[in-house]
Amino acid sequence: QVQLVESGGGLVQAGGSLRLSCAASGRTFSWYAMGWFRQAPGKEREFVAAMGWSNTDYADSVKGRFTISRDNAKNTVYLQMNSLKPEDTAVYYCAARTTPIPTMISGDYAYWGQGTQVTVSS
């Protein structure tokens, strides 16, 4: 069983930055692919970014603005979000799959955090 706990959300003005963190339980964190997804009110959950051992994938809407990274010694994955826009407002979820291959498909991830709210004001 893997437990994920997100932190770092909050309220920020457009153009600002936030860094989300996701702490994971488990001894084999380095083997997991990790993903970030988000869900805005009235919309479906959508892919944001994912990372395997070193390879990364990003949604087109966040490329060049968001960066996913991981610290295996701390069992933590991060999402650095720069140049935030009001349309980035959503609940952000961390997810893990017990293979090192990242995907953009939420159904491929077996474990999910509780989510953290990010609100970007205009």
Side-chain angles (χ1 to χ4, degrees):
Q1 191 75 4
V2 178
Q3 292 185 329
L4 304 173
V5 179
E6 301 101 332
S7 61
L11 173 64
V12 64
Q13 288 188 333
S17 298
L18 282 174
R19 188 177 80 155
L20 305 183
S21 300
C22 173
S25 64
R27 298 180 180 178
T28 56
F29 174 79
S30 62
W31 186 255
Y32 305 156
M34 301 298 297
W36 287 97
F37 293 78
R38 66 186 182 187
Q39 188 167 19
K43 294 187 177 181
E44 293 188 352
R45 189 170 299 187
E46 66 174 2
F47 169 76
V48 175
M51 184 172 188
W53 283 330
S54 61
N55 52 323
T56 58
D57 278 317
Y58 294 95
D60 289 342
S61 59
V62 306
K63 279 181 182 176
R65 300 189 298 123
F66 290 11
T67 303
I68 187 172
S69 62
R70 65 192 298 162
D71 185 337
N72 290 334
K74 295 182 178 180
N75 278 18
T76 300
V77 64
Y78 305 97
L79 185 68
Q80 178 66 45
M81 306 186 294
N82 299 329
S83 302
L84 283 161
K85 304 175 181 180
E87 51 263 44
D88 294 318
T89 295
V91 177
Y92 283 70
Y93 297 90
C94 171
R97 63 187 310 237
T98 55
T99 79
I101 302 171
T103 80
M104 300 181 181
I105 303 171
S106 60
D108 288 342
Y109 292 80
Y111 303 101
W112 292 82
Q114 80 288 350
T116 185
Q117 176 70 47
V118 171
T119 303
V120 184
S121 63
S122 57

